[in-house]
């Protein structure tokens, strides 16, 4: 098993390089890059970066833009070539694409993501600042989805064809059909002061007086703030996992070893949790990376935006719109690395659930 893990870890390297290469090539053909946006703003095209520059107008690039935009006649005539060359140098576009890519790969291997184009702060500091929000949504949503879906799926498999199975299937299908962002808006309208009740806060992970609260108060305040975002993130994964668990258990219950176990006089609990559970849970565990990645990466942008949570998803989206490539590639690198590590952890969980599985022998 150790050799298998080492091989999987080594495969992470070319996979990450491939992800970065594909996206790097795509960015070379995307119109409106950072230099073009800077030129448009200096020529009087308005604040291209919006609130992205924010209070950080002391950054070198922003100062140059403000200086150029103060002279209306310069914008009318077009910018001097020297100014454009200076912009390209500041953004690093004065070097050939291959050199820029190799430099980026070498820096990222050392977790050196550089500095944001339009914020006077390092990318790694921004990621550290935003990561707790995304981890909160992804981790709690995945854990809650599994905690509810596995017992409910087992119960539905045991009660297959009964009224309990029918009405719970209706609820699950309805939950699956509701988009996460629509459910999030519904929760805001109903419980966050939209039109009915003001029970939960509208934004943030903690209250303004969080530091003044007791230890128990801090825990309660934290869960009070994440209740609605986590619920909105969980609904889709909950429906999928429940049906996956039910179908997996139904397939195992019909097999001959279950009939043999019952013929030996074992109780239904011993049959389900002593024999069926281990085999049926394999496919559920195999879906763990997909569930975690979809909740952590896919839904985080929309959920974070709706509930005004400043996490990695929202940061990456704003950076992509503003063409802040250091942040775009930095968040992409972190997302890809975490997804690959979660996939390896999933394989380890396979072995923990069923020690008979040996990935090394299968590869041999």
């Amino acid at each position: 098993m150790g050799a298998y893990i080492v091989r999987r870890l080594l495969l992470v390297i070319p996979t990450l390089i491939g992800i970065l290469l594909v996206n790097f090539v795509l960015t070379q053909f995307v119109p409106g890059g950072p230099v073009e946006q800077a030129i448009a703003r200096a020529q009087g095209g308005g604040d291209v970066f919006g609130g992205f520059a924010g209070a950080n107008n002391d950054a070198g690039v922003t100062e140059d833009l403000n200086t150029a935009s103060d002279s209306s006649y310069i914008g009318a005539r077009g910018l001097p070539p020297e100014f454009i060359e200076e912009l390209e140098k500041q953004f690093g576009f004065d070097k050939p694409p291959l050199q820029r890519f190799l430099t980026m790969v070498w820096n990222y291997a050392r977790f050196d993501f550089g500095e944001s184009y339009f914020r006077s702060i390092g990318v790694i500091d921004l990621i550290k600042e935003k990561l707790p929000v995304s981890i909160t949504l992804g981790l709690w949503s995945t854990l809650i989805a599994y905690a509810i879906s596995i017992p409910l799926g087992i119960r539905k498999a045991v009660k297959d064809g009964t009224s309990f199975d029918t009405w719970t299937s209706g609820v699950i299908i309805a939950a699956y059909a509701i988009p996460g962002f629509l459910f999030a808006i519904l929760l805001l309208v109903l419980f966050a002061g939209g039109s009915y009740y003001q029970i939960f806060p509208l934004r943030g992970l903690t209250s303004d007086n969080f530091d003044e609260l007791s230890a128990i108060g801090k825990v309660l305040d934290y869960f009070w703030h994440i209740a609605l975002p986590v619920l909105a993130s969980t609904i889709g994964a909950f429906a999928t996992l429940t049906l996956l668990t039910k179908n997996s258990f139904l397939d195992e219950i019909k097999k001959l070893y279950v009939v043999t176990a019952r013929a030996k006089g074992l109780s239904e609990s011993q049959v389900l949790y002593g024999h069926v559970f281990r085999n049926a849970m394999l496919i559920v565990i195999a879906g763990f990376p997909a569930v975690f990645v979809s909740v952590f990466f896919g839904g985080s942008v929309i959920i974070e935006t709706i509930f005004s949570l400043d996490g990695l998803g929202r940061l990456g989206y704003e950076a992509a719109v503003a063409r802040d490539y250091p942040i775009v590639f930095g968040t992409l690198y972190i997302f890809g690395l975490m997804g690959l590590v979660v996939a390896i952890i999933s394989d380890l969980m396979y072995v923990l659930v069923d020690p008979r599985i040996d990935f090394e022998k299968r590869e041999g």
Side-chain angles (χ1 to χ4, degrees):
M1 188 65 184
Y4 172 78
I5 295 175
V6 171
R7 286 195 296 270
R8 287 294 302 271
L9 290 174
L10 291 176
L11 283 174
V12 169
I13 299 174
T15 304
L16 285 176
I17 293 177
I19 293 173
L20 291 175
L21 177 61
V22 171
N23 287 273
F24 182 84
V25 171
L26 289 177
T27 57
Q28 306 307 303
F29 301 98
V30 174
V35 175
E36 288 79 4
Q37 292 200 41
I39 293 173
R41 180 182 175 185
Q43 289 178 330
D47 189 359
V48 177
F49 313 122
F52 214 74
N56 296 320
N57 287 333
D58 56 340
V61 174
T62 309
E63 288 180 355
D64 290 340
L65 297 179
N66 290 337
T67 302
S69 60
D70 285 340
S71 303
S72 58
Y73 72 94
I74 294 179
R77 296 194 317 232
L79 295 175
E82 296 81 8
F83 179 75
I84 297 176
E85 291 177 1
E86 182 63 24
L87 279 179
E88 292 178 345
K89 184 176 180 180
Q90 289 186 15
F91 287 130
F93 287 94
D94 59 327
K95 301 179 179 64
L98 180 60
Q99 182 180 347
R100 285 190 281 121
F101 177 74
L102 294 177
T103 302
M104 181 180 68
V105 171
W106 170 246
N107 291 334
Y108 281 20
R110 298 176 289 121
F111 287 89
D112 179 9
F113 302 121
E115 188 170 297
S116 168
Y117 284 160
F118 310 124
R119 301 187 187 192
S120 55
I121 184 173
V123 175
I124 192 67
D125 295 325
L126 274 174
I127 291 177
K128 289 179 181 178
E129 179 184 338
K130 314 298 183 184
L131 190 58
V133 175
S134 298
I135 288 180
T136 293
L137 287 179
L139 184 61
W140 282 112
S141 299
T142 305
L143 291 178
I144 292 174
Y146 270 79
I148 296 175
S149 300
I150 291 175
L152 181 58
I154 295 174
R155 185 68 176 173
K156 285 176 62 62
V158 174
K159 299 291 184 179
D160 183 43
T162 64
S163 59
F164 173 82
D165 180 46
T166 302
W167 73 262
T168 52
S169 294
V171 173
I172 290 170
I173 293 173
Y176 184 76
I178 299 175
F181 75 91
L182 185 61
F183 188 61
I185 295 174
L186 178 63
L187 293 176
L188 283 180
V189 172
L190 293 177
F191 303 113
S195 301
Y196 296 91
Y197 305 103
Q198 180 65 58
I199 300 176
F200 295 96
L202 184 59
R203 63 183 65 236
L205 285 182
T206 56
S207 301
D208 294 334
N209 63 336
F210 182 78
D211 295 332
E212 303 172 3
L213 300 175
S214 63
I216 297 178
K218 289 180 178 180
V219 172
L220 294 177
D221 181 77
Y222 170 74
F223 283 108
W224 182 46
H225 278 77
I226 69 171
L228 295 186
V230 169
L231 183 59
S233 300
T234 305
I235 183 169
F238 153 77
T240 304
L241 274 173
T242 302
L243 294 178
L244 181 64
T245 304
K246 175 194 173 182
N247 293 332
S248 179
F249 267 78
L250 282 177
D251 289 340
E252 292 297 324
I253 288 174
K254 296 175 182 178
K255 292 184 177 179
L256 289 177
Y257 74 89
V258 176
V259 177
T260 303
R262 286 172 175 165
K264 291 181 178 179
L266 297 180
S267 65
E268 194 65 21
S269 297
Q270 290 176 319
V271 172
L272 284 177
Y273 297 101
H275 293 75
V276 177
F277 184 83
R278 175 178 294 179
N279 296 326
M281 285 302 296
L282 288 175
I283 190 172
V284 178
I285 292 175
F288 178 83
V291 174
F292 180 80
V293 170
S294 63
V295 173
F296 187 84
F297 306 143
S300 61
V301 177
I302 300 176
I303 299 300
E304 288 173 11
T305 302
I306 292 176
F307 290 99
S308 300
L309 300 175
D310 202 6
L312 274 182
R314 187 177 178 183
L315 174 68
Y317 169 74
E318 292 177 348
V321 172
R323 304 296 193 268
D324 197 340
Y325 290 151
I327 296 180
V328 172
F329 284 107
T331 54
L332 181 69
Y333 184 85
I334 294 297
F335 283 176
L337 181 60
M338 292 187 66
L340 293 171
V341 170
V342 169
I344 296 175
I345 294 175
S346 176
D347 288 346
L348 295 178
M349 293 176 66
Y350 260 126
V351 179
L352 290 175
V353 173
D354 191 348
R356 295 173 299 174
I357 295 178
D358 192 330
F359 287 104
E360 293 184 4
K361 290 182 178 178
R362 291 182 61 185
E363 289 186 353

